[in-house]
């Protein structure tokens, strides 16, 4: 997708997405056989409901049909929320992952060097994260602070057996 087309798509779609109270996370164009696939990823602090995606898909489709941004060739439109395993790349992604277990790939510039860390996000501010690192072999969990500049990659870990805090308090 050319930068010009990407910029035109973003300019066309951001107001529609923002009107629904959502963030436009990603626009991805790919080939699907003879057709093109246009994938729009949206999110919000409260998540995205399926009905909202469907409604937004209809509005985006109408807007794209009225404009020439996609040209004359056929395309398939998909509007969805990010998957649970989506990379955390923006400050708002970390805020939305508060309380979640995250796998971090750290840079060599960090105070403890490069490596991998799995920890729960306790707090997020403008400079970095406060984390709870689970204890190993019966040891207590510890806390750790990392700066955003020390993070090479981060991705939420799926937890199937984690008890919700409400359950723990009951």
């Amino acid at each position: 997708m050319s930068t010009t087309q990407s910029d035109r798509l973003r300019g066309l779609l951001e107001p529609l997405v923002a009107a629904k109270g959502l963030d436009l996370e990603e626009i991805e164009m790919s080939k699907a056989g003879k057709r093109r696939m246009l994938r729009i990823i949206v999110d919000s602090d409260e998540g995205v409901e399926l009905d909202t995606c469907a409604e937004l898909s209809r509005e985006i489709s109408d807007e794209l049909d009225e404009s020439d941004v996609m040209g004359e060739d056929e395309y398939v439109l998909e509007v969805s929320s990010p998957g649970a395993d989506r990379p955390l790349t923006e400050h708002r992604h970390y805020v939305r992952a508060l309380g979640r277990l995250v796998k971090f790939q750290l840079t060599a510039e960090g105070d403890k060097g490069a490596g991998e860390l799995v920890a729960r996000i306790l707090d997020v501010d403008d400079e970095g994260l406060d984390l709870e690192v689970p204890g190993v072999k019966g040891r207590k969990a510890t806390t750790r602070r990392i700066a955003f500049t020390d993070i090479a990659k981060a991705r939420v870990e799926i937890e199937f057996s984690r008890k919700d805090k409400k359950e723990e308090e009951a």
Side-chain angles (χ1 to χ4, degrees), residues 104 106-107 110-123 128-133 141-147 150:
F104 297 93
L106 303 176
T107 64
D111 63 339
K112 296 188 180 181
E116 190 174 279
L117 172 68
V118 177
R120 191 167 310 282
I121 299 177
L122 299 175
D123 195 24
L129 310 166
D130 291 325
L131 306 172
E132 178 184 71
V133 181
T142 58
T143 58
R144 180 171 173 188
R145 171 100 180 144
I146 59 172
D150 296 338

Side-chain angles (χ1 to χ4, degrees), residues 32-87:
K34 294 181 180 182
R35 291 186 178 159
R36 295 174 293 164
M37 175 73 146
L38 177 60
R39 182 172 289 122
I40 311 296
I41 308 295
V42 296
D43 202 5
S44 79
D45 291 345
E46 295 79 34
V48 183
E49 293 184 4
L50 187 58
D51 290 343
T52 304
C53 283
E55 188 178 313
L56 185 58
S57 179
R58 286 188 291 276
E59 291 177 17
I60 289 173
S61 180
D62 291 345
E63 194 71 27
L64 290 173
D65 289 347
E66 290 176 18
S67 76
D68 65 344
V69 71
M70 292 300 293
E72 297 297 318
D73 296 334
E74 290 184 26
Y75 64 92
V76 175
L77 174 64
E78 178 184 301
V79 177
S80 65
S81 62
D85 63 344
R86 159 274 313 259

Side-chain angles (χ1 to χ4, degrees), residues 74-114:
E74 290 184 26
Y75 64 92
V76 175
L77 174 64
E78 178 184 301
V79 177
S80 65
S81 62
D85 63 344
R86 159 274 313 259
L88 305 177
T89 57
E90 302 285 334
H91 184 272
R92 67 179 177 265
H93 299 164
Y94 292 98
V95 172
R96 291 174 185 157
L98 270 171
R100 304 286 305 269
L101 197 63
V102 175
K103 183 181 211 177
F104 297 93
Q105 294 292 327
L106 303 176
T107 64
E109 289 80 37
D111 63 339
K112 296 188 180 181

